[in-house]
């Protein structure tokens, strides 16, 4: 059975939806894709992972892990990949195995840099700590996504 083709952005030709992060420490979220549209709110967390769901010119429609979002200028976004820890005291392990030694524990809501990902585990880097965590406990990476 053929795999369904993913949608691609009309501007970048990159897959939609896709994950990025907030480059700036503040980013205005607008109701539509232009400076004339009202600012609905402001994202205030540098490196926060966001999912791009649409493109229009220099604008990207994004949403956060709660599904909230709107349009932001592409210059506020980065291709650097980050994730939000969804489970409190999530243990990072030295290898992508449930019984591997623990290297650290991260609180829920921590933003970590995303490294390589296999089918079930992703390598994270946060606050100088590195280790592997179950992909299902993270927001900002697709469950079927593989990274090297």
């Amino acid at each position: 059975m053929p795999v369904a083709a993913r949608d691609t952005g009309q501007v970048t030709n990159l897959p939609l939806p896709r994950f990025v992060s907030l480059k700036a420490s503040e980013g205005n979220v607008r109701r539509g894709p232009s400076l004339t549209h009202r600012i609905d709110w402001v994202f205030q967390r540098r490196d926060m992972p966001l999912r791009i769901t649409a493109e229009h010119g220099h604008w990207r429609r994004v949403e956060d892990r709660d599904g909230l979002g709107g349009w932001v200028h592409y210059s506020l976004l980065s291709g650097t990949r980050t994730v939000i820890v969804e489970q409190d005291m999530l243990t990072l392990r030295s290898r992508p195995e449930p019984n591997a030694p623990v290297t650290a524990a991260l609180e829920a809501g921590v933003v970590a840099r995303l490294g390589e990902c296999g089918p079930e585990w992703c390598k994270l880097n946060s606050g100088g700590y590195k280790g592997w965590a179950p992909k299902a406990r993270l927001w900002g990476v697709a469950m079927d996504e593989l990274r090297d």
Side-chain angles (χ1 to χ4, degrees), residues 43-73:
F43 285 136
Q44 294 186 312
R45 190 168 183 187
R46 182 190 304 277
D47 295 331
M48 180 173 70
L50 297 167
R51 179 175 27 225
I52 293 179
T53 58
E55 303 176 346
H56 183 83
H58 291 311
W59 297 86
R60 305 293 177 262
R61 188 173 65 211
V62 298
E63 58 186 35
D64 66 11
R65 72 172 176 179
D66 299 319
L68 302 173
W71 293 88
V72 298
H73 195 266

Side-chain angles (χ1 to χ4, degrees), residues 11-54:
V11 178
T12 63
N13 228 14
L14 293 169
L16 288 177
R18 69 180 179 276
F19 289 98
V20 295
S21 60
L22 187 64
K23 185 190 299 183
S25 52
E26 279 194 354
N28 291 338
V29 181
R30 295 183 180 271
R31 190 153 292 179
S34 77
L35 292 173
T36 58
H37 284 88
R38 204 177 102 204
I39 296 171
D40 280 337
W41 61 82
V42 180
F43 285 136
Q44 294 186 312
R45 190 168 183 187
R46 182 190 304 277
D47 295 331
M48 180 173 70
L50 297 167
R51 179 175 27 225
I52 293 179
T53 58

